[in-house]
Amino acid sequence: MKPCSIAILGSTGSIGLNALKVVDQHPQRFRVKALSAYNNFQLLESQIKNYKPAHVAVGPQGLAHFKSTGMKGVKFYPIENCAQIASLKEVDTVVLAMRGTSALMPFLEALRAGKTVAPANKEALVIAGDLIMSEARRHKARIIPIDSEQSAIFQCLDGQKLKPVLVHLTASGGPLREVRSKDFKRMRPKDILRHPRWKMGPKITVDSATLMNKGFEVIEAKHLFNLEYNQIKVLVHPEAIIHSMVEFTDGSLLAQLGITDMRLPIQYALTYPERLPTGLKRLDLTQLGSLNFEEPDLKRFPCLGLAFEAARRAGTLPAVLNAADEEVVEKFLHGKIDFLSIYKVVEKVVLRHKIIKNPSLQDILQADHWARQEARNILEKLCH
Ligand code: MG
């Protein structure tokens, strides 16, 4: 079998590192053709030595470094030209593991070039889901999500002839599930960055504390599986063993279960429709004993309600939600605002936005820019 040629955009982050571990597990199956990383060029350098990609995109510091040291057989690109390596002729599958809205252009270009895209990035689908899905249809390009919940839904629906009536998106509940509401105000970044189930970057861990992350996943699922926002239910499931479920009209539920290790959904996306051994420990249900479920508490976690509202009203609103959240969480992580202000500021920006229906890419980027400016204005007053 011809090996699958992959590009990993964001190769030094936690998803990128796990994707490379999947490659290590099946070295005959994969060829790493391209890598990209924004900041951590020392780690990127060791990845280049190990995996020998022919194309590498890197941030300005790294670019200067590699230009001066030089590396044989590697073509370097500035990070802004990441879309170029996502659409290279010799690449079959693009792992989209970079953070933020910078993933949008590489996502679109990869689809236009007919690549299979395995997105772990949320922002692109949240802000421009309609555009992405229509490009995928137009170019018959496949999207196989890596996010554990979206991968679970994808797996439950694979081979199904009928659409589900409901999708149950599971949520671990985040690091504040058992914290009393009256203590929320006192929560500092360090209190939140200890997530009980998943090890992730700081921004997404804060988003999982506010449940905004789950809200983004609602918007993502709506696009990926062509659902109405009211066909998606969030179900808090602290053990995070069921990664999501689909429900059909007869009331049957299909669920996907597994250990909480991102290598599972990453490998599935990279070997689909095949399944291969992972070398990981297997799920032992008798050890687990029981699984628990509860409704999400929208009073304690109003960001989730806000995201549902953005999913319902659509247009440019999800882009505004995403941009405002990014600005505000950044301030929280730097200790400039308290935890409760995250929702307050994001809500203010969302309420002030005049939605553009069926937005173009330009409209979306403008809404993103507007929301960041608006959030900064509000934050400035708040921080002084
Ligand atoms: Mg997730």
Side-chain angles (χ1 to χ4, degrees), residues 122 147-150 170 198 200 204 213-214 217 220 262:
K122 289 202 169 104
D147 200 2
S148 61
E149 294 80 359
Q150 317 297 351
T170 53
W198 297 99
M200 307 176 291
I204 186 170
N213 180 54
K214 208 46 59 177
E217 288 176 3
E220 249 190 309
M262 285 310 291

Side-chain angles (χ1 to χ4, degrees), residues 250-275:
D250 59 358
S252 271
L253 285 161
L254 296 185
Q256 188 261 337
L257 289 74
I259 58 164
T260 51
D261 191 306
M262 285 310 291
R263 281 171 284 178
L264 271 175
I266 293 170
Q267 181 175 298
Y268 178 80
L270 291 179
T271 63
Y272 178 84
E274 271 186 87
R275 288 186 187 269

Side-chain angles (χ1 to χ4, degrees), residues 175-176 179 183-196 202-203 205-206 209 329 331-339 342:
L176 300 187
V179 173
D183 295 330
F184 278 15
K185 203 175 165 51
R186 278 194 277 135
M187 288 294 121
R188 297 286 164 260
K190 66 169 175 25
D191 305 314
I192 283 167
L193 296 178
R194 292 186 234 115
H195 194 285
K203 157 73 166 59
T205 307
V206 175
V329 170
K331 279 280 180 296
F332 172 73
L333 283 170
H334 283 96
K336 303 277 190 211
I337 55 168
D338 66 40
F339 181 76
I342 298 176

Side-chain angles (χ1 to χ4, degrees), residues 145-162:
I146 279 179
D147 200 2
S148 61
E149 294 80 359
Q150 317 297 351
S151 173
I153 300 166
F154 185 97
Q155 293 183 54
C156 291
L157 291 177
D158 190 37
Q160 294 292 332
K161 291 197 179 66
L162 299 173

